[in-house]
Amino acid sequence: MEKPDRHILVCASFRAAGTPQGVCHKKGAFNFVQYLETELMDRDELGTVMVSTTGCLKVCDRGPAMVIYPEGKWYGGFESEDDIDEILDALEEGEGADQFLLAE
Ligand code: FES
């Protein structure tokens, strides 16, 4: 197995029974997953990136939420593809997109 350079974990609000419920799911997290996967194919600067969906990341009041490793940056409150682009642009520049940054 080849280890990816980065891993993006996107909250999809999965609960123990496997059913997505919660803020991130209701705010379109699945659409952002699809957009991330498409957008990342065009961004060589970020290396190989795996995108995975997760259960609740416990920051529901700031959702939708995602975590990017190895940087360990937590992002939330993104609402559009433009917001995702802003986060990825900042990542390419080695910075955080401050308006969406929850923790680092
Ligand atoms: S449902 Fe996404 S952080 Fe809780």
Side-chain angles (χ1 to χ4, degrees):
M1 176 196 158
E2 187 172 326
K3 186 177 164 188
D5 297 313
R6 289 193 167 77
H7 197 174
I8 300 179
L9 305 172
V10 181
C11 177
S13 311
F14 291 120
R15 296 299 194 250
T19 306
Q21 297 175 343
V23 175
C24 298
H25 172 67
K26 289 176 183 157
K27 288 187 173 179
F30 283 115
N31 295 332
F32 294 128
V33 170
Q34 188 172 18
Y35 182 73
L36 274 165
E37 289 188 337
T38 302
E39 183 63 21
L40 287 165
M41 285 192 280
D42 296 333
R43 292 179 182 253
D44 293 336
E45 294 86 353
L46 294 176
T48 56
V49 184
M50 177 180 279
V51 180
S52 301
T53 54
T54 73
C56 177
L57 292 172
K58 312 293 192 242
V59 287
C60 307
D61 60 328
R62 304 289 303 274
M66 66 179 173
V67 189
I68 301 177
Y69 289 107
E71 287 81 1
K73 293 182 186 293
W74 287 61
Y75 291 102
F78 42 87
E79 297 179 341
S80 68
E81 293 176 355
D82 286 344
D83 292 348
I84 295 291
D85 286 340
E86 202 167 321
I87 292 168
L88 294 179
D89 289 346
L91 194 62
E92 283 180 351
E93 295 163 11
E95 299 175 4
D98 292 344
Q99 66 273 37
F100 305 110
L101 197 57
L102 303 180
E104 60 182 322

